[in-house]
Amino acid sequence: MPKGIPNKRYTPEFKKQVVEAVMQDGLSYEEAAKLYEVHGHGRIQSWERIYLEEGPEGLAVERRGRRSAGSPKKLPSKVEEDLSPHLSISEG
């Protein structure tokens, strides 16, 4: 990306409109990218995946930057309780 040109931000409503146009009107990702002036059809593909997995509300979540490779996700407390008796037996 050339220096001095900021990344374009898209509103959740705009993302929803584009994804629904692809799904309902049968537009290809490339056609939708040209029609709605979105840079890159891959962006629309990712919006559609989020829309299908999380619903329209998922498009409002900020997803910039790299994913954290930090600490592992914590197990739900019920799963930890179920596992804890097994862990103490194998240690001793």
Side-chain angles (χ1 to χ4, degrees):
M1 177 146 273
K3 281 189 174 183
I5 300 175
N7 290 334
K8 189 169 183 183
R9 289 255 179 106
Y10 301 100
T11 65
E13 294 80 22
F14 177 78
K15 295 176 190 178
K16 181 179 178 229
Q17 179 183 0
V18 173
V19 169
E20 289 178 349
V22 168
M23 292 171 31
Q24 293 170 358
D25 300 339
L27 294 175
S28 71
Y29 299 124
E30 292 85 2
E31 291 170 334
K34 287 179 186 172
L35 183 65
Y36 290 97
E37 298 177 4
V38 174
H39 183 70
H41 67 275
R43 181 167 288 157
I44 297 174
Q45 282 179 299
S46 66
W47 293 347
E48 184 181 36
R49 180 189 50 78
I50 292 166
Y51 184 95
L52 293 172
E53 289 178 0
E54 302 176 24
E57 312 83 42
L59 295 172
V61 177
E62 185 73 28
R63 300 173 196 273
R64 297 186 322 157
R66 295 185 181 189
R67 289 190 176 163
S68 172
S71 61
K73 293 185 175 166
K74 185 162 172 60
L75 293 173
S77 59
K78 176 71 176 133
V79 175
E80 278 192 34
E81 290 171 12
D82 290 343
L83 290 175
S84 59
H86 300 290
L87 293 176
S88 61
I89 293 171
S90 63
E91 291 174 3

